[in-house]
Amino acid sequence: MTTTTGRPAEPAPETAAVPAPDVTATEIAAGAPGAPGLMRPVRRGVQLLLGLVGFGVATAMMLHSGQGAMPWAVLDQGIVDRTGLAYGWVVLGVGLLVMLAWIPLRQKPGIGTIANIIVISLVIDPSLWVLERLLPEPALPTGIALALGGTVLLGVSTAAYVGARLGPGPRDGLMTGIVQRTGWPVWLVKTVIEVTVVVVGVLLGGTFGWATVVFAFGVGPVVQVAARWLAPRGLVG
């Protein structure tokens, strides 16, 4: 090919293709820009809210089942029995004490931490009201279904609102802090915490049933499995 002046045309300079940056598995886990597992802000907010609502409903299911309280509830009951304080004040005090343990674990509260305290407390009582009217005195099969369903729902809900990465609740912040510092799996840390809380609660006079034991050993694995879909950036980071 020649130009109008008769001289051969110079070849056009080649534009070097700039390869797209690869996103490594480590960057995906850290939530790097462009990582396919990164949540959109809307999903994070919705997942946080639904997780907290589910947590409140699951708590009510466990309490109404009559098959045994959750580990933290056993601890709260034991402290109430020993001190004579109102249940609500004990729950608040335990939550504040647990948050003190965040300091050496370098955990920081977020919007989710505040939402945890508000939303769950607002959901539990209406949920109990509905359950008491739909199932005034649950028979044994119904109670078993409520206890097992509550355990599964609470585990999924925990993975949902913690996985939104907007700040865990006081007790789950303890779990994520230990996981982050030790590298131990979520199910192991969650199970150890729940079992420890049950033992202390029983020694203080709290009551528990078979559902308490199932919850203590079963909720950790549920959180671990649910986190695969609900926590694409992981539960800690």
Side-chain angles (χ1 to χ4, degrees):
M1 175 180 178
T2 59
T3 63
T4 53
T5 59
R7 291 182 299 175
E10 296 181 359
E14 294 183 359
T15 303
V18 180
D22 294 330
V23 180
T24 65
T26 302
E27 291 170 331
I28 292 175
L38 187 61
M39 280 190 190
R40 296 181 181 276
V42 173
R43 175 185 165 178
R44 294 176 70 190
V46 172
Q47 182 169 308
L48 170 68
L49 180 60
L50 292 179
L52 293 176
V53 171
F55 193 101
V57 173
T59 302
M61 292 171 63
M62 291 286 296
L63 292 173
H64 190 63
S65 71
Q67 305 302 311
M70 295 177 298
W72 286 101
V74 175
L75 177 62
D76 294 336
Q77 290 173 348
I79 296 175
V80 168
D81 183 63
R82 292 284 183 172
T83 64
L85 295 172
Y87 192 88
W89 286 108
V90 170
V91 173
L92 175 62
V94 170
L96 293 175
L97 287 176
V98 170
M99 289 194 69
L100 289 178
W102 286 26
I103 298 175
L105 295 174
R106 299 180 183 178
Q107 291 288 95
K108 296 181 180 179
I111 297 175
T113 309
I114 300 172
N116 178 284
I117 300 171
I118 297 174
V119 175
I120 293 178
S121 63
L122 292 176
V123 169
I124 291 179
D125 285 337
S127 299
L128 284 171
W129 184 86
V130 172
L131 288 172
E132 288 171 358
R133 277 149 185 79
L134 293 178
L135 304 167
E137 295 181 2
L140 181 59
T142 304
I144 293 174
L146 284 172
L148 295 179
T151 299
V152 173
L153 178 58
L154 195 143
V156 173
S157 299
T158 298
Y161 84 78
V162 176
R165 300 289 286 276
L166 291 172
R171 294 159 183 79
D172 290 309
L174 178 64
M175 174 193 70
T176 56
I178 295 175
V179 169
Q180 188 171 1
R181 291 299 160 193
T182 63
W184 297 343
V186 172
W187 72 266
L188 177 60
V189 173
K190 182 72 171 175
T191 301
V192 170
I193 291 175
E194 302 292 343
V195 171
T196 302
V197 167
V198 169
V199 171
V200 174
V202 170
L203 291 176
L204 291 175
T207 58
F208 77 105
W210 67 266
T212 307
V213 179
V214 171
F215 182 94
F217 287 96
V219 71
V222 173
V223 173
Q224 183 84 36
V225 173
R228 298 177 182 176
W229 294 276
L230 298 173
R233 293 178 59 191
L235 292 177
V236 298

